[in-house]
CSV table of all heavy atoms in Angstrom, one decimal:
chain,number,residue,atom,x,y,z
A,1167,HIS,N,-3.4,-15.0,7.0
A,1167,HIS,CA,-2.6,-16.0,7.6
A,1167,HIS,C,-1.1,-15.7,7.2
A,1167,HIS,O,-0.9,-15.5,6.0
A,1167,HIS,CB,-3.1,-17.4,7.1
A,1167,HIS,CG,-2.1,-18.5,7.2
A,1167,HIS,ND1,-1.2,-18.8,6.2
A,1167,HIS,CD2,-1.8,-19.3,8.2
A,1167,HIS,CE1,-0.5,-19.9,6.6
A,1167,HIS,NE2,-0.8,-20.2,7.8
A,1168,VAL,N,-0.2,-15.7,8.1
A,1168,VAL,CA,1.2,-15.5,7.8
A,1168,VAL,C,2.0,-16.6,8.5
A,1168,VAL,O,1.8,-16.9,9.6
A,1168,VAL,CB,1.7,-14.1,8.3
A,1168,VAL,CG1,3.2,-13.9,7.8
A,1168,VAL,CG2,0.8,-13.0,7.7
A,1169,ASN,N,3.0,-17.2,7.7
A,1169,ASN,CA,3.8,-18.3,8.3
A,1169,ASN,C,5.3,-17.8,8.2
A,1169,ASN,O,5.8,-17.2,7.2
A,1169,ASN,CB,3.6,-19.5,7.4
A,1169,ASN,CG,4.4,-20.7,7.9
A,1169,ASN,OD1,5.6,-20.7,7.9
A,1169,ASN,ND2,3.7,-21.7,8.3
A,1170,ASP,N,6.0,-18.0,9.4
A,1170,ASP,CA,7.4,-17.6,9.4
A,1170,ASP,C,8.4,-18.7,9.2
A,1170,ASP,O,9.6,-18.6,9.4
A,1170,ASP,CB,7.7,-16.9,10.8
A,1170,ASP,CG,7.6,-17.9,11.9
A,1170,ASP,OD1,7.3,-19.1,11.7
A,1170,ASP,OD2,7.8,-17.5,13.1
A,1171,GLY,N,7.9,-19.8,8.7
A,1171,GLY,CA,8.7,-20.9,8.4
A,1171,GLY,C,8.7,-22.0,9.5
A,1171,GLY,O,9.0,-23.1,9.3
A,1172,SER,N,8.3,-21.6,10.7
A,1172,SER,CA,8.2,-22.5,11.8
A,1172,SER,C,6.8,-22.5,12.4
A,1172,SER,O,6.3,-23.6,12.8
A,1172,SER,CB,9.2,-22.1,12.9
A,1172,SER,OG,10.5,-22.1,12.5
A,1173,ASN,N,6.1,-21.4,12.4
A,1173,ASN,CA,4.8,-21.3,13.0
A,1173,ASN,C,3.8,-20.5,12.1
A,1173,ASN,O,4.2,-19.7,11.3
A,1173,ASN,CB,4.9,-20.5,14.4
A,1173,ASN,CG,5.7,-21.3,15.4
A,1173,ASN,OD1,5.4,-22.4,15.8
A,1173,ASN,ND2,6.8,-20.7,15.8
A,1174,ASP,N,2.6,-20.8,12.3
A,1174,ASP,CA,1.5,-20.1,11.6
A,1174,ASP,C,0.9,-19.0,12.5
A,1174,ASP,O,0.7,-19.3,13.7
A,1174,ASP,CB,0.4,-21.0,11.2
A,1174,ASP,CG,0.9,-22.0,10.1
A,1174,ASP,OD1,1.3,-21.6,9.1
A,1174,ASP,OD2,0.9,-23.2,10.5
A,1175,TYR,N,0.6,-17.9,11.9
A,1175,TYR,CA,0.0,-16.8,12.7
A,1175,TYR,C,-1.3,-16.3,12.0
A,1175,TYR,O,-1.3,-16.2,10.7
A,1175,TYR,CB,0.9,-15.6,12.8
A,1175,TYR,CG,2.2,-15.9,13.6
A,1175,TYR,CD1,3.3,-16.6,13.0
A,1175,TYR,CD2,2.3,-15.6,14.9
A,1175,TYR,CE1,4.4,-16.9,13.7
A,1175,TYR,CE2,3.5,-15.9,15.7
A,1175,TYR,CZ,4.5,-16.5,15.1
A,1175,TYR,OH,5.6,-16.8,15.8
A,1176,GLY,N,-2.3,-16.0,12.8
A,1176,GLY,CA,-3.5,-15.3,12.2
A,1176,GLY,C,-3.3,-13.8,12.6
A,1176,GLY,O,-3.3,-13.5,13.8
A,1177,VAL,N,-3.2,-13.0,11.6
A,1177,VAL,CA,-3.0,-11.6,11.8
A,1177,VAL,C,-4.3,-10.8,11.5
A,1177,VAL,O,-4.8,-10.9,10.3
A,1177,VAL,CB,-1.8,-11.0,11.0
A,1177,VAL,CG1,-1.6,-9.5,11.3
A,1177,VAL,CG2,-0.6,-11.8,11.4
A,1178,VAL,N,-4.8,-10.1,12.4
A,1178,VAL,CA,-6.0,-9.3,12.2
A,1178,VAL,C,-5.7,-7.8,12.3
A,1178,VAL,O,-5.1,-7.3,13.2
A,1178,VAL,CB,-7.1,-9.6,13.2
A,1178,VAL,CG1,-8.3,-8.6,13.1
A,1178,VAL,CG2,-7.6,-11.0,13.1
A,1179,LYS,N,-6.1,-7.0,11.2
A,1179,LYS,CA,-6.0,-5.6,11.2
A,1179,LYS,C,-7.4,-5.1,11.4
A,1179,LYS,O,-8.2,-5.2,10.5
A,1179,LYS,CB,-5.4,-5.1,9.9
A,1179,LYS,CG,-4.0,-5.7,9.6
A,1179,LYS,CD,-2.9,-5.2,10.5
A,1179,LYS,CE,-2.5,-3.8,10.2
A,1179,LYS,NZ,-1.3,-3.4,11.1
A,1180,THR,N,-7.7,-4.5,12.6
A,1180,THR,CA,-9.0,-4.1,12.9
A,1180,THR,C,-9.3,-2.6,12.4
A,1180,THR,O,-10.5,-2.2,12.5
A,1180,THR,CB,-9.3,-4.1,14.4
A,1180,THR,OG1,-8.4,-3.3,15.1
A,1180,THR,CG2,-9.1,-5.6,14.9
A,1181,SER,N,-8.3,-2.0,11.9
A,1181,SER,CA,-8.5,-0.6,11.4
A,1181,SER,C,-7.8,-0.5,10.1
A,1181,SER,O,-6.9,-1.2,9.7
A,1181,SER,CB,-8.0,0.4,12.4
A,1181,SER,OG,-6.6,0.3,12.7
A,1182,GLU,N,-8.2,0.6,9.4
A,1182,GLU,CA,-7.6,0.8,8.1
A,1182,GLU,C,-6.1,1.2,8.2
A,1182,GLU,O,-5.7,1.9,9.2
A,1182,GLU,CB,-8.3,2.0,7.4
A,1182,GLU,CG,-8.0,2.2,6.0
A,1182,GLU,CD,-8.9,3.3,5.4
A,1182,GLU,OE1,-8.8,4.5,5.8
A,1182,GLU,OE2,-9.7,3.0,4.5
A,1183,THR,N,-5.3,0.7,7.3
A,1183,THR,CA,-3.8,1.0,7.3
A,1183,THR,C,-3.5,2.0,6.3
A,1183,THR,O,-3.9,1.8,5.1
A,1183,THR,CB,-3.0,-0.3,7.1
A,1183,THR,OG1,-3.3,-1.3,8.1
A,1183,THR,CG2,-1.5,0.0,7.1
A,1184,GLU,N,-2.9,3.1,6.6
A,1184,GLU,CA,-2.4,4.1,5.7
A,1184,GLU,C,-0.9,3.9,5.4
A,1184,GLU,O,-0.1,3.9,6.3
A,1184,GLU,CB,-2.7,5.5,6.2
A,1184,GLU,CG,-4.2,5.8,6.5
A,1184,GLU,CD,-4.4,7.2,7.0
A,1184,GLU,OE1,-3.5,8.1,6.7
A,1184,GLU,OE2,-5.4,7.5,7.7
A,1185,LEU,N,-0.6,3.7,4.1
A,1185,LEU,CA,0.8,3.6,3.8
A,1185,LEU,C,1.5,5.0,4.0
A,1185,LEU,O,0.8,6.0,4.0
A,1185,LEU,CB,1.0,3.2,2.4
A,1185,LEU,CG,0.4,1.8,2.0
A,1185,LEU,CD1,0.8,1.4,0.6
A,1185,LEU,CD2,0.9,0.7,3.0
Side-chain angles (χ1 to χ4, degrees):
H1167 161 268
V1168 183
N1169 183 292
D1170 66 0
S1172 300
N1173 297 295
D1174 294 297
Y1175 296 81
V1177 180
V1178 170
K1179 305 291 283 186
T1180 62
S1181 59
E1182 191 173 65
T1183 301
E1184 298 182 26
L1185 301 185

